[in-house]
Amino acid sequence: MPIGTVKFFNADKGYGFISDEDGSGDAFVHITAVQNAGMSGLEKDQRISYELETGRNGKTSAVNLTQA
């Protein structure tokens, strides 16, 4: 599972981005993935472990979030 740092998260808008530690880029994260992990939100610079999943729309997003 990749580990990254929260770059941006806006609970009002319902999305954010996690920057991967290996420098491979940013992963989109939706509020539903945060809620499914039992979290109320994400804070900037918070370390997160996650999996990448490709949705029906063909876009990749972070899922199965856990505190790293």
Side-chain angles (χ1 to χ4, degrees):
M1 286 176 61
I3 296 177
T5 304
V6 176
K7 183 176 183 178
F8 162 84
F9 186 77
N10 185 317
D12 292 333
K13 292 183 179 182
Y15 71 92
F17 294 92
I18 299 171
S19 181
D20 198 311
E21 285 185 342
D22 71 4
S24 64
D26 295 342
F28 176 83
V29 61
H30 193 265
I31 188 71
T32 55
V34 175
Q35 293 169 340
N36 288 343
M39 300 175 184
S40 58
L42 299 175
E43 298 295 324
K44 183 174 174 20
D45 297 326
Q46 181 179 359
R47 292 188 73 224
I48 297 290
S49 176
Y50 59 96
E51 294 178 4
L52 293 174
E53 178 179 273
T54 303
R56 293 179 297 189
N57 60 4
K59 296 183 180 181
T60 304
S61 62
V63 295
N64 298 328
L65 310 175
T66 58
Q67 189 74 22

